[in-house]
Amino acid sequence: CALPISSGMAALEAARRGLTPDKLITPKSVENALTVLLAVGGSTNAVLHLAAVAGRAGIQLDLKRLNELSDRTPVIVDLKPTGQHYMENLFEAGGVGAVLRELKPLLHLDCLTVTGETLGQRLDQPDAWVDRRVVRPLSDPYLPYGGLVALFGSLAPRGAILKRSAADARLFEREGRAVVFDGLEDLARRIDDPALDVTPDDFLVMKNAGPTSVSCMPEAGYLPIPSKLAKAGVKDMVRISDARMSGTAFGTVVLHVTPDAASGGPLAKVRSGDRIRLSIKDRRIDLMVPDEELARRPLDRKSTRLNSSHGYISYAVFCLKKK
């Protein structure tokens, strides 16, 4: 019971001191949160959550800035699905405090914390024990780059997210044929059909699972490997959607394609047989279809927009779209 009690006491003390959220959530503290997220190989969902929290404070989460931070922030935690350990192992190894101490050169140390101290003051306390099997030194990272990367291009003009620390690097630079599913029901109906026209080099694409669709952005972006390929030993292939996925999932999965299909984004016009080019090096995902051809294609009737702007997920997408 000690943790809930101490958390409650800290909340009361923060209220007494007038430490309101607007004093704690700043552009610098949001960057600190992104840096920690990148260093632990954290979930793609955290981008949405941070966009929503920052947006409530009038701060825009810039995906291009995320890429800059990702290029300078290595993964230093050996944690699933990037590594081998679990969250309880991170707690036992020194927890987030150990991660923060390693990341000191990359953090804004003048940010105010809920204790009323700056982050720098908190981290100036004597170092605690760290299990180096789980939390590595900044000089000897698990991966030399951050866990997440944002992609742009003709398929995702306003961005998409890939958890590159949990993906197969052999798939990072390639072009493939799209195998398109119109939504969750279509995916469930056809993905394991032995007659499905699909090869390991194809890109699986699912539409109509984004935040403005009737599906309301479920954690369905981890498209399964078609059973006939899985039986042949295929473990990973490029998968693209406007949905989310669990932070525990491994794979080369491009998520949060924005604008989503239901908003009339380019994803809505992708057809099976189209060519798509993925380049993590160039931070791009492009639909290799001439603009004239796309202009001739009608919007998919299945791309039904949900007329609602309520909730944190919708607000997060609003914050990411806002320029």
Side-chain angles (χ1 to χ4, degrees), residues 219-302:
E219 285 193 341
Y222 186 60
L223 309 186
I225 302 296
S227 61
K228 70 178 185 179
L229 297 183
K231 290 175 182 177
V234 176
K235 301 296 185 184
D236 194 13
M237 57 192 301
V238 177
R239 287 158 278 179
I240 304 166
S241 78
D242 47 10
R244 300 183 295 141
M245 78 174 184
S246 168
T248 63
F250 179 92
T252 309
V253 186
V254 179
L255 302 154
H256 309 180
V257 172
T258 310
D260 65 345
S263 297
L267 184 66
K269 295 190 175 185
V270 181
R271 295 178 178 176
S272 289
D274 289 346
R275 305 291 296 180
I276 297 174
R277 181 178 297 159
L278 172 67
S279 175
I280 306 306
K281 176 176 63 71
D282 294 335
R283 309 290 192 268
R284 294 192 64 87
I285 184 162
D286 291 294
L287 179 59
M288 311 304 289
V289 175
D291 292 340
E292 315 83 70
E293 168 60 21
L294 285 179
R296 286 193 293 267
R297 293 182 181 179
L299 281 177
D300 187 350
R301 291 184 179 180
K302 296 185 179 65

Side-chain angles (χ1 to χ4, degrees), residues 5-297:
I5 291 173
S6 59
S7 297
M9 292 176 64
L12 287 173
E13 182 63 18
R16 188 184 68 80
R17 293 187 179 192
L19 289 175
T20 50
D22 61 303
K23 296 181 176 66
L24 303 174
I25 302 169
T26 66
K28 287 183 177 181
S29 69
V30 171
E31 282 203 358
N32 283 348
L34 283 173
T35 298
V36 173
L37 174 66
L38 294 166
V40 302
S43 173
T44 52
N45 281 320
V47 178
L48 290 174
H49 300 320
L50 278 171
V53 171
R56 293 294 185 186
I59 302 164
Q60 184 177 335
L61 194 153
D62 186 345
L63 293 181
K64 293 183 178 178
R65 180 57 178 161
L66 182 149
N67 280 343
E68 293 173 359
L69 295 173
S70 190
D71 286 341
R72 75 170 196 182
T73 307
V75 174
I76 62 172
V77 180
D78 187 3
L79 192 66
K80 284 181 177 290
T82 301
Q84 298 301 312
H85 295 95
Y86 295 90
M87 286 299 297
E88 56 264 34
N89 302 125
L90 173 59
F91 176 77
E92 293 165 356
V96 175
V99 177
L100 288 169
R101 285 191 292 273
E102 287 300 326
L103 293 176
K104 278 180 69 173
L106 304 179
L107 297 174
H108 299 290
L109 300 177
D110 57 340
C111 288
L112 198 62
T113 70
V114 292
T115 66
E117 302 166 286
T118 66
L119 180 60
Q121 289 170 331
R122 293 285 293 171
L123 297 182
D124 280 342
Q125 298 176 10
D127 290 350
W129 177 81
V130 180
D131 186 343
R132 291 302 183 190
R133 295 173 300 176
V134 182
V135 181
R136 297 191 181 182
L138 192 62
S139 59
D140 182 28
Y142 186 75
L143 291 172
Y145 46 73
L148 303 177
V149 64
L151 306 174
F152 300 90
S154 62
L155 186 58
R158 293 176 180 166
I161 299 293
L162 172 75
K163 189 171 181 177
R164 59 177 170 179
S165 62
D168 187 342
R170 293 172 295 183
L171 301 177
F172 283 4
E173 307 294 326
R174 63 171 50 210
E175 183 178 318
R177 181 187 66 149
V179 176
V180 178
F181 300 92
D182 291 325
L184 300 174
E185 293 181 359
D186 186 34
L187 176 73
R189 184 173 60 251
R190 295 195 295 124
I191 191 66
D192 292 328
D193 186 345
L196 180 67
D197 181 13
V198 64
T199 74
D201 294 324
D202 292 333
F203 289 8
L204 302 181
V205 179
M206 183 175 68
K207 314 176 185 180
N208 302 314
T212 63
S213 72
V214 293
S215 298
C216 297
M217 206 178 193
E219 285 193 341
Y222 186 60
L223 309 186
I225 302 296
S227 61
K228 70 178 185 179
L229 297 183
K231 290 175 182 177
V234 176
K235 301 296 185 184
D236 194 13
M237 57 192 301
V238 177
R239 287 158 278 179
I240 304 166
S241 78
D242 47 10
R244 300 183 295 141
M245 78 174 184
S246 168
T248 63
F250 179 92
T252 309
V253 186
V254 179
L255 302 154
H256 309 180
V257 172
T258 310
D260 65 345
S263 297
L267 184 66
K269 295 190 175 185
V270 181
R271 295 178 178 176
S272 289
D274 289 346
R275 305 291 296 180
I276 297 174
R277 181 178 297 159
L278 172 67
S279 175
I280 306 306
K281 176 176 63 71
D282 294 335
R283 309 290 192 268
R284 294 192 64 87
I285 184 162
D286 291 294
L287 179 59
M288 311 304 289
V289 175
D291 292 340
E292 315 83 70
E293 168 60 21
L294 285 179
R296 286 193 293 267
R297 293 182 181 179

